[in-house]
Amino acid sequence: MNATTASTDSGTPVPSAEKCPAFPPPHEFSARAHLGSLEDYRRLYRESLESPMTFWRRMSAELDWKEPWKELLAWDLPHARWFVGGQLNASYNCLDRHLAGPRCHKAAIVWEGEPGEVRTLTYRQLHWEVCRWANLLSRSGVVDGDRVVIYLPMIPEAVIAMLACARLGAVHSVVFGGFSAKSIRDRILDCGAKIVITADGGYRKGKIVPLKERVNDALEAPSGVERVLVVRRTGERVPMRAGRDCWVDKELKQVDARSEAKPLDSEHPLYILYTSGTTGKPKGILHTTGGYLLGCALSTKYLFDLKDEDLFWCTADVGWVTGHSYVVYGPLALGASVFLYEGSPDFPQPDRFWRMIERYRINILYTAPTAIRYFMRMGERWVEPWDLSSLRLLGSVGEPINPEGWLWYHQKIGRGRCPVVDTWWQTETGSVMIAPCPGATPCKPGSATLPFFGVDPAIVDDQGNPVPSGTHGRLVIRRPWPSMLRDIYGSPEALRNTYWSEVPGVYLTGDGARQDEDGYFWITGRIDDVLNVSGHRIGTAEVESALVSHSKVAEAAVVGEPDPDKGEALVAFVTLRQGEAGSEELKNELRRHVAQEIGAIARPKEILFTATLPKTRSGKILRRLLKELVRSGQIEGDTTTLEDPATVAALSKEVGKAAD
Ligand code: WT7
């Protein structure tokens, strides 16, 4: 196995072979792992591509099917149906089937609230709650196929609500608690939800997040929402609207705990999750039941090497796909114990994570590079005092992890003992696509390594031709996989255009990557107008349209700038309307405005007022030049297509001024 020298497009050097050797799986890990050698991985991987029928027939037995599937895949690009004719229920697979055996009284969820409360729910207890909630939803008029928006903090009720929807065949759409009233409203309207589930608030950095108030604002204008179910979390007084809003604890007194999980078609919609793309409007990514659940369960088993005795902690919020697949569906389908934490990693101090790992003896930690960089910056003194010897595996997701971060994670958190699985995937892919099998695949810090079963990735040039190894290009997936997105809710024609047509016949990920001589994938980040801020996807067009909706703004262009903490930070170039003048106050006002329109995560770090923006003769803003400007302070790229070449000089001056 050769280690590799590589560099990313953003200019970040990846350490050379000497500095960054490959890390073979530790022997004691491999000896106990579900997959213990590279040969085993390769054999299964090859089988998954060459004999998919045999492979998936065997693997699909990981789930409990009410009705066995007849046909593996019906593929009519861009529409896939997997495990055709099969029937199952995700809630049943995550709960009921574990009750018959020794998992019945095992912890399904171990939860810690930010203020410090602890709650444990066994599989039996979780099942009981989910059944009551399913009955509560039915009583509220929810039927199979209805959309339910969930806007909750990270409390067990978030998981309960999702599984209660799945039990009935209702489609949940979880909205991350950091999103604004406007974002909630847009999502409610887009998916046509009749019901919203929220809480009186949640705790974050010692403060209360006013979830209910935001939902009220979101529903101020007519919306089609008939009922708002409110979980009591903080006990604060919140405005309730009579006839529409009710307290969950009160309503639950009216229902019993008998509920059958409804057998659903393998392709029955499970959830819609909104994510940012290159347009001004988030896309509702639709996932269905059979293929998605199997993708989650298998990847959890083989990539996190999950065992019955593990306590698994994926730190993602359930508002993101990572929370759907690796807090809820993957681990619970396997009957695992899942740890859940409500709050912020730095509350009350930067050692909160390590304190909890010691206290609960967490075995697997799956977090994001942005968190790792934060801990690195805070310094080892916050980590060192804690007993992290329970940890046996570490995972990373959300953005490329730089080798320095990887090594720090491996040494300081894993104390050199734990494999680190860098997992590449997307909201659209549903489950992990490229990652090491920890007992089998030697790791190279900074590389997501090799594809998971059934995944057929390649790197191509702009014309769609494969590029030689070592050459940077576009990452594509050459065939459908079980947990792939099935639709963009409400805009079926966009599915083909967005993912399956730019390079005909293959799925375009939007990421750039290269493959080294060992076939390892090195993902370098987005190559479209999507930014990655602290592991969260933000479309530049969305932020631009938020800025332009402010009465003083004429035009805006948003680009990303490398940021040591966040990975990327937003820089906005803003042209004001005639008669308006730029000022520090206006910058703050615009930042507030964006937070109100989208959420705090989209707030630009820098705002530069400029008289003009660089445009082509057809009026298209050349973001490429702006990107170059914020990265290097000058523009050397091709400016021949500019309508007015003088804008470049003017802009360079503006940026220079801002830096002073
Ligand atoms: C984008 C997807 C999927 C979970 C969380 C984010 C970037 C994600 C990695 C990784 C390099 C990564 C990609 C991808 N990304 N994981 N391990 N290495 N880049 O989901 O919001 O849908 O974002 O996150 O750019 O396209 P998402």
Side-chain angles (χ1 to χ4, degrees), residues 275 320-322 366 396-401 422-428 448 509-511 523-526 532 535-537:
T275 190
W320 309 110
V321 74
T322 311
Y366 185 31
S396 168
V397 63
E399 56 181 307
I401 180 166
D422 175 7
T423 63
W424 177 87
W425 58 297
Q426 308 177 301
T427 304
E428 291 87 341
T509 65
D511 277 312
I523 317 287
T524 52
R526 304 291 306 195
N532 191 324
H536 301 316
R537 240 161 102 163

Side-chain angles (χ1 to χ4, degrees), residues 440-452:
T441 318
C443 290
K444 298 182 194 181
S447 169
T449 76
L450 300 172
F452 190 55

Side-chain angles (χ1 to χ4, degrees), residues 615-632:
K615 286 191 194 159
T616 61
R617 277 168 215 105
S618 59
K620 206 169 155 303
I621 298 172
L622 280 166
R623 284 187 190 70
R624 168 173 62 78
L625 297 182
L626 295 173
K627 213 160 141 182
E628 201 189 327
L629 193 61
V630 300
R631 278 161 203 242
S632 66

Side-chain angles (χ1 to χ4, degrees), residues 504-577:
V506 303
Y507 171 85
L508 192 71
T509 65
D511 277 312
R514 65 163 57 80
Q515 235 181 325
D516 68 19
E517 65 274 26
D518 296 318
Y520 276 42
F521 286 86
W522 298 77
I523 317 287
T524 52
R526 304 291 306 195
I527 46 173
D528 52 10
D529 288 325
V530 174
L531 301 181
N532 191 324
V533 178
S534 301
H536 301 316
R537 240 161 102 163
I538 298 174
T540 51
E542 262 173 73
V543 185
E544 288 162 5
S545 79
L547 285 165
V548 174
S549 74
H550 189 278
S551 61
K552 294 182 180 161
V553 174
E555 254 189 330
V558 171
V559 295
E561 171 185 52
D563 182 274
D565 301 332
K566 300 186 157 144
E568 252 177 329
L570 301 175
V571 180
F573 291 84
V574 171
T575 309
L576 295 174
R577 296 206 175 183

Side-chain angles (χ1 to χ4, degrees), residues 98-115:
H98 306 311
L99 302 182
R103 289 179 185 144
C104 182
H105 307 302
K106 165 182 177 177
I109 295 178
V110 179
W111 172 80
E112 188 171 299
E114 196 185 71

Side-chain angles (χ1 to χ4, degrees), residues 130-154:
V130 169
C131 288
R132 294 195 316 146
W133 274 68
N135 290 337
L136 163 59
L137 291 177
S138 297
R139 249 175 71 99
S140 310
V142 175
V143 295
D144 163 347
D146 282 354
R147 277 80 58 212
V148 175
V149 162
I150 299 176
Y151 187 64
L152 285 173
M154 281 293 281

